[in-house]
Amino acid sequence: MVRQEPVEGGRGVVGVLGGEDRSQQGGGCPPMAVVVSVVLIALALPAAWMLPARPGRARGVRATSLAGDLVAGVRVIAARPSLARATLTSAVSCIAQGMLTACVPLLGERVLGGAGRGALLLSCVAISALAANAMLARFPRSVAPDTIIWASALVQATALALAAWGQPAVLVVAVLIAGIGEGPRLAALFAVRHREAPDHLRGQIFTTGASLKITGFALGSAVAGPLATWSLPGTLALAASVAVLAALVFFAVPPATTNSSENSTVSA
């Protein structure tokens, strides 16, 4: 049951399934969201434990360190233009994505009437991303993954610009558009990695790419946090500019002279 209780200043605190903040009442009971998260993680452990083990390595092959994997991944990414373009564009796009995430509580408070409602915006992003990927899976050869990567950055920029408008209906449309950009971009990024990465270095490339994306997301969140308290529309406009920059980065990296797989499409 969802209910709203008045508090000082006329604002409301939403309790979901009776999960009000008991810590402020001295009860020490964790919020329901935390309990549900712990239960879901516990349910995932048996599935992870039952995953098949990696085929045994040949004798004499040494286990590499994380730093060594990152270095090997960077070398391969730098040597393959298509992979470099996809990786850099995705990393810069994650900066804009982190900026939007940092703005979500303020968007919920100032546009939707409550900071807690900002979480609904992230749900809209996830739903539209899944729907976009489902549609893409039905037409796997419609658009090349390289095209999706730079086009999704422009879609993301459009969504961020609309979010700065500050109207509830426009904001909902904006986050739905953001999901349409983010979902296919991730699928296209995986397609490019599988296409370009050598089999024996695929793990290192995925590790390096994920590290760059996480770093970009954290950087965007760190920058947008203080800026959003000063000017929320200005921060979203800056995030839109970063997304446009991500698309420009794709074309800044020169393509390979002979790359027969440039027009490969996303596999089903």
Side-chain angles (χ1 to χ4, degrees), residues 4-174:
Q4 186 172 3
E5 300 177 359
V7 294
E8 184 178 358
R11 299 178 181 175
V13 177
V14 178
V16 182
L17 297 176
E20 293 87 358
D21 191 358
R22 303 292 179 81
S23 60
Q24 296 180 356
Q25 303 175 5
C29 181
M32 182 61 67
V34 176
V35 176
V36 172
S37 299
V38 172
V39 171
L40 291 176
I41 293 174
L43 291 176
L45 290 177
W49 186 264
M50 295 174 62
L51 289 174
R54 182 177 180 180
R57 297 182 178 182
R59 294 183 179 180
V61 177
R62 297 180 301 173
T64 59
S65 63
L66 177 59
D69 289 344
L70 291 176
V71 171
V74 169
R75 288 176 179 174
V76 176
I77 291 173
R80 295 173 180 258
S82 295
L83 191 57
R85 298 164 88 181
T87 301
L88 292 177
T89 301
S90 177
V92 177
S93 296
C94 279
I95 297 178
Q97 186 178 358
M99 297 178 72
L100 174 62
T101 304
C103 293
V104 160
L106 284 178
L107 285 171
E109 180 181 8
R110 299 181 183 180
V111 181
L112 301 180
R117 297 177 183 177
L120 297 176
L121 299 176
L122 298 179
S123 299
C124 292
V125 174
I127 291 172
S128 62
L130 289 174
N133 277 340
M135 183 63 66
L136 184 64
R138 291 179 60 88
F139 306 97
R141 301 182 182 276
S142 57
V143 186
D146 304 86
T147 302
I148 292 176
I149 288 175
W150 66 261
S152 64
L154 297 179
V155 173
Q156 183 183 24
T158 303
L160 291 167
L162 289 175
W165 196 272
Q167 298 296 326
V170 177
L171 178 60
V172 173
V173 172

